[in-house]
Amino acid sequence: MAADYKKITHDGLWGNNPALVQLLGLCPLLAVTGSVVNAIGLGLASTLVLMGSNLTVSAFRKFVPDAVRLPIFVMIIASFVTAIELLMKAFTYELYLILGIFIPLIVTNCAIMGRADAFACKNPVKASLLDGFMMGLGFTAVLVVLGAMRESLGLGTLFSDMHLLFGPMAEGWKITLIEDYPGFLFAILPPGAFVGMGLIIALKNIIDARIKARKVEPDVGARPERVRVTG
């Protein structure tokens, strides 16, 4: 059966978003989203691992016995995580130190393992690559939104320390929202992450409920059909 690329895109970004719907990978999501740069760094790393693992699992799906597929998936994911970790050590070392243990812990991210087992091992390479990209993009979007919320409320800034990821060209990207902001510690502590994530999930549920209501709402302006009754 041909892959439905439109559905894959919608599922990854919204309908089956790994963070908002599946609620997977929440440990690193909540832990490192104190700023936008941390969120983007972890999101990019997770997306690259998702794409690479989906691509590899799909390409070799016909050669992997069912009895050992999960250990093989773990080895594939671990290989890509190691490669990403080495790249970050080489090019974004300071950001790598900030993210710390949460980069190697991508290996245990249930969202990545879940896509390998639920999608990549059953679908062709092109569809699996798109699925990995869209799931990673949806996960990264949630990371960035939560990171922006926490950084703006906690520090009164946006896009601070972006040079840790994008180099010297990003030195001037910092936006100060409030001058002499005293800071709101709760926002950048773990409880703030839980509250912020809850608000984002609640907002998505409200939007979904309104979309569903509009679809089932009858057309008020439509005229009722006449039915001819003959005796």
Side-chain angles (χ1 to χ4, degrees), residues 64-150:
V64 178
D66 286 341
V68 294
R69 74 180 191 281
L70 292 181
I72 290 176
F73 293 169
V74 171
M75 291 181 64
I76 291 172
I77 294 169
S79 299
F80 281 102
V81 170
T82 301
I84 296 299
E85 187 177 6
L86 292 174
L87 286 172
M88 291 190 70
K89 283 183 177 180
F91 298 104
T92 59
Y93 185 66
E94 292 183 12
L95 181 61
Y96 169 78
L97 292 178
I98 293 172
L99 296 179
I101 191 63
F102 293 102
I103 294 299
L105 279 180
I106 292 175
V107 176
T108 62
N109 192 321
C110 296
I112 298 174
M113 176 63 74
R115 296 321 295 171
D117 188 48
F119 192 92
C121 68
K122 303 172 185 176
N123 289 275
V125 170
K126 187 176 179 181
S128 298
L129 187 62
L130 179 64
D131 177 78
F133 176 70
M134 288 304 168
M135 285 290 169
L137 188 60
F139 184 70
T140 303
V142 176
L143 281 165
V144 172
V145 171
L146 184 57
M149 286 175 54
R150 296 179 66 193

Side-chain angles (χ1 to χ4, degrees), residues 118-183:
F119 192 92
C121 68
K122 303 172 185 176
N123 289 275
V125 170
K126 187 176 179 181
S128 298
L129 187 62
L130 179 64
D131 177 78
F133 176 70
M134 288 304 168
M135 285 290 169
L137 188 60
F139 184 70
T140 303
V142 176
L143 281 165
V144 172
V145 171
L146 184 57
M149 286 175 54
R150 296 179 66 193
E151 182 181 348
S152 58
L153 290 174
L155 303 174
T157 63
L158 273 178
F159 310 120
S160 59
D161 298 325
M162 294 295 283
H163 64 280
L164 298 178
L165 182 61
F166 298 104
M169 69 174 183
E171 290 281 357
W173 290 9
K174 180 180 177 180
I175 300 174
T176 302
L177 301 176
I178 303 174
E179 294 290 344
D180 300 324
Y181 184 62

